[in-house]
Amino acid sequence: AQAFSTISSDNAVVLMVVVAGGSTPYTIYINWGDGTEETRTVDQPGTYQFSHAYTKDGSYVVNGVVRDV
C-alpha cells in the first residue's frame, strides 16, 4: 500500500496499475474507498491508468485487486 494525497481543487487522483505475469485476460478491480468501485478487463500485460475525483475532502483507503484467468 502506498499513501497519496490530492492537492488539486477538484480532488482528482490518478492511480497507475502495473500488470505482469499470469495468463490473460486480466480483470482489475479498484475500490476508491468512497463507495465507488471500478472494474476493467484487459487483454495484455502493461501499465493501466485509473482516475477518480472525490466529491468530499477526507481520508480514503483505496484497494485494488488484479486477477488473471
Side-chain angles (χ1 to χ4, degrees):
Q2 183 167 335
F4 63 87
S5 58
T6 65
I7 56 173
S8 65
S9 61
D10 61 358
N11 287 330
V13 296
V14 174
L15 177 68
M16 304 301 282
V17 177
V18 178
V19 179
S23 300
T24 61
Y26 305 100
T27 303
I28 304 169
Y29 302 94
I30 305 292
N31 181 320
W32 291 102
D34 63 351
T36 304
E37 296 178 346
E38 187 171 350
T39 302
R40 188 182 306 171
T41 300
V42 297
D43 292 327
Q44 59 186 339
T47 301
Y48 296 91
Q49 179 175 305
F50 293 80
S51 59
H52 183 69
Y54 289 96
T55 57
K56 295 182 181 180
D57 291 343
S59 296
Y60 301 95
V61 176
V62 178
N63 290 298
V65 174
V66 177
R67 292 197 174 124
D68 69 347
V69 294

